[in-house]
Amino acid sequence: MIFSILMPSEFAYTLIREWFSPPTQPGAPELASLLPHQRQLLLSDGSLTLEIQLLWKAMVEVEVRFNGLTTLGSKESIFLEETPDKGAIEREVWLTIDSRRLVYAHSLIPVDRIDKELLRDIDAHRDEPLGRVLTTKNVRFSKKKIELGVVRCEAASIGLGLDRHAALIARRYILHNTDGVVGHGIKAAVTEVFSPEIIEGDALSKKNI
């Protein structure tokens, strides 16, 4: 198995608005400023890659920034409900359409929470979005503990050509397998930082920040 490290992992962020679980009511004030397609992108339990492709009517590509091994820090282990310092696969990519960077995506997969066969498939298709690989392999997955926030993420801002202190909408969740099929097991912490081209940084109601 080969892990490519194209650039050192630069994923770090500062929360401007603390992570919160999105309300389910359509008229919730926290989501009042979002357009319908933005709400769909943030709250969907399905593949973000597919959602973006349907909206843009174009194929999502991946720009890999980092793909290598790491260990879970204390915050990540608490969110994942795993043991600190556990070995994990770290993946950091841009989701792009026509070379336009749309989503900065960071994944942490504990090495003992993914079946070896699936890990080989993901590694062999590291230049494809994770959701597409899972869908192609007929791995049924879901997202739990979906949380939204507003962050400053210097790597994402610089990659988008913005001021490094720009406020950006972010989402995090646990991706996990739901079909129970042998060889399909996966559990990962995923954080996604959205370009303002998709969702403006002030789209979450300011009065609730």
Side-chain angles (χ1 to χ4, degrees):
M1 188 169 301
I2 299 173
F3 290 98
S4 58
I5 302 176
L6 302 187
M7 292 189 66
S9 177
E10 300 175 339
F11 188 74
Y13 60 82
T14 300
L15 280 167
I16 300 174
R17 171 169 184 172
E18 291 292 330
W19 296 112
F20 71 98
S21 298
T24 56
Q25 305 92 322
E30 293 92 338
L31 307 179
S33 299
L34 295 175
L35 298 173
H37 74 278
Q38 295 172 332
R39 189 179 293 110
Q40 173 68 18
L41 284 174
L42 286 176
L43 304 184
S44 172
D45 190 42
S47 169
L48 176 64
T49 298
L50 181 58
E51 298 282 358
I52 292 175
Q53 288 179 170
L54 291 173
L55 280 172
W56 264 261
K57 296 180 172 57
M59 184 67 71
V60 169
E61 303 294 339
V62 160
E63 178 186 331
V64 180
R65 303 292 290 174
F66 181 87
N67 186 70
L69 297 173
T70 188
T71 56
L72 295 180
S74 58
K75 292 182 179 179
E76 295 87 358
S77 62
I78 290 172
F79 182 68
L80 266 171
E81 300 174 356
E82 296 289 341
T83 306
D85 298 322
K86 177 180 287 189
I89 300 146
E90 184 175 17
R91 177 177 162 87
E92 188 177 318
V93 306
W94 280 102
L95 301 183
T96 69
I97 285 184
D98 296 330
S99 298
R100 287 152 48 207
R101 293 170 168 172
L102 299 177
V103 181
Y104 195 47
H106 178 263
S107 304
L108 283 171
I109 310 171
V111 293
D112 62 349
R113 296 299 184 185
I114 181 169
D115 287 328
K116 292 181 180 180
E117 178 183 345
L118 183 56
L119 177 56
R120 284 194 293 268
D121 288 332
I122 292 173
D123 189 53
H125 299 87
R126 66 177 70 90
D127 294 331
E128 295 186 34
L130 180 58
R132 181 183 298 155
V133 176
L134 297 179
T135 300
T136 300
K137 299 300 178 181
N138 296 315
V139 176
R140 295 177 61 184
F141 63 90
S142 183
K143 299 169 183 174
K144 64 180 182 179
K145 293 178 67 172
I146 294 177
E147 295 179 342
L148 309 181
V150 182
V151 304
R152 289 193 180 99
C153 179
E154 185 171 330
S157 295
I158 292 174
L160 291 168
L162 304 174
D163 182 275
R164 66 182 58 199
H165 300 298
L168 301 169
I169 298 293
R171 175 177 74 161
R172 69 174 183 173
Y173 54 86
I174 295 176
L175 181 149
H176 65 108
N177 163 254
T178 59
D179 62 16
V181 175
V182 175
H184 284 188
I186 184 172
K187 181 182 182 184
V190 180
T191 305
E192 297 157 343
V193 181
F194 293 84
S195 163
E197 185 173 353
I198 296 182
I199 307 173
E200 290 286 350
D202 60 356
L204 296 179
S205 182
K206 289 182 179 179
K207 66 181 180 181
N208 291 289
I209 296 178

